[in-house]
Amino acid sequence: MKKITASDLVLMNDEFYRVELAYSKQDNLLFGERIYRKDAKLWLHRDLANIVKIAAQKCLDAHGLRFVLYDGLRTIEAQEAMMKTRRVKANPHWLEEPRLLSPAGAGGHPRAMAIDIGLETIDGELLDMGCAFDYLAENPHKDLNPAHREYAHPSNILNNRKILDDCMSEAADELKLPLFPLPQEWWDFRMPNDYFNQYAPISERDLPKEMRLLDD
């Protein structure tokens, strides 16, 4: 299995999108408590970073809308910390199959190959995407989960989602890279399973101190 090193990761800090690292804040929707350290940064594997940068520029140029980046790299230890939060402990069924939360080390986030994105106007007003980023439905079925990409929303919401989807898919196509929009979450874009599973998940100890997500 290939190893992702610090040199493979890109700091997301360009001017044509906004970074709001959700889990470095106390009031994040999903857990209601801070997971990352307050000064944590958003890192992506260079392949996905290139897709996001091009897509964000396309969105700004074509639609006058700005990407909001909520989360990228989520280390093994960060995932473990999420499993220990009060809200997860109060909802143990989230960890039963089919899981609503990935186990530590699983998925695209611990390989920096998944990104959570919203859209806003230049004035900072979030677009209506049908539900908030990180909305976790009790039932993940497409007819019962408003976060699902196939949920029957009004046309204005579907159009907002289409803008985001199209910009991301066009950027991936230009770079000839695969991209998988997670069906259950309108905000989640990742490299496909067979792509990221070639790589080992990233631990805090794999990173220099300034790149780590958790408090010492």
Side-chain angles (χ1 to χ4, degrees):
M1 185 173 287
K2 293 183 276 190
K3 184 177 179 62
I4 298 170
T5 67
S7 63
D8 295 317
L9 302 178
V10 175
L11 175 62
M12 302 302 289
N13 64 347
D14 292 293
E15 62 184 17
F16 43 88
Y17 50 76
R18 182 169 67 86
V19 175
E20 185 179 316
L21 197 57
Y23 307 127
S24 67
K25 300 178 183 299
Q26 192 72 28
D27 59 350
N28 65 83
L29 175 64
L30 184 54
F31 301 108
E33 56 188 277
R34 185 170 61 84
I35 309 296
Y36 302 160
R37 68 191 199 191
K38 292 180 180 179
D39 61 346
K41 306 299 183 185
L42 198 155
W43 300 91
L44 289 180
H45 184 275
R46 59 175 177 266
D47 290 346
L48 185 55
N50 288 335
I51 293 173
V52 172
K53 287 170 180 279
I54 291 174
Q57 189 69 70
K58 284 178 175 291
C59 193
L60 190 60
D61 291 345
H63 304 284
L65 297 171
R66 184 166 53 199
F67 278 18
V68 184
L69 308 186
Y70 293 112
D71 199 29
L73 170 63
R74 191 182 297 166
T75 57
I76 297 170
E77 292 84 357
Q79 285 183 307
E80 290 172 345
M82 290 175 174
M83 299 305 107
K84 298 174 183 177
T85 58
R86 292 185 296 273
R87 189 158 187 234
V88 173
K89 288 179 178 179
N91 293 275
H93 60 284
W94 289 355
L95 308 181
E96 299 169 359
E97 297 298 336
R99 296 178 67 110
L100 297 178
L101 294 173
S102 297
H109 280 292
R111 294 157 174 87
M113 293 186 185
I115 179 73
D116 299 330
I117 308 174
L119 284 180
E120 67 179 10
T121 67
I122 296 302
D123 296 327
E125 181 180 351
L126 290 173
L127 266 63
D128 187 354
M129 307 297 271
C131 65
F133 152 73
D134 249 0
Y135 176 87
L136 194 60
E138 289 297 318
N139 190 321
H141 189 276
K142 65 182 180 67
D143 294 333
L144 301 172
N145 177 14
H148 201 288
R149 294 177 186 274
E150 295 184 29
Y151 188 87
H153 284 291
S155 59
N156 65 308
I157 293 171
L158 296 178
N159 183 63
N160 291 342
R161 291 187 177 189
K162 187 176 187 301
I163 290 172
L164 176 58
D165 290 350
D166 286 353
C167 289
M168 287 293 288
S169 64
E170 289 170 12
D173 288 346
E174 283 186 18
L175 294 168
K176 296 181 170 54
L177 287 169
L179 185 69
F180 178 67
L182 192 69
Q184 299 90 343
E185 299 176 354
W186 60 260
W187 55 84
D188 188 301
F189 298 84
R190 56 185 58 203
M191 313 306 283
N193 288 8
D194 59 354
Y195 194 94
F196 65 67
N197 279 331
Q198 300 175 58
Y199 298 86
I202 300 169
S203 169
E204 291 282 299
R205 63 180 176 271
D206 296 327
L207 302 172
K209 187 173 182 178
E210 64 272 15
M211 293 177 67
R212 294 175 186 172
L213 298 180
L214 303 185
D215 290 315
D216 294 334

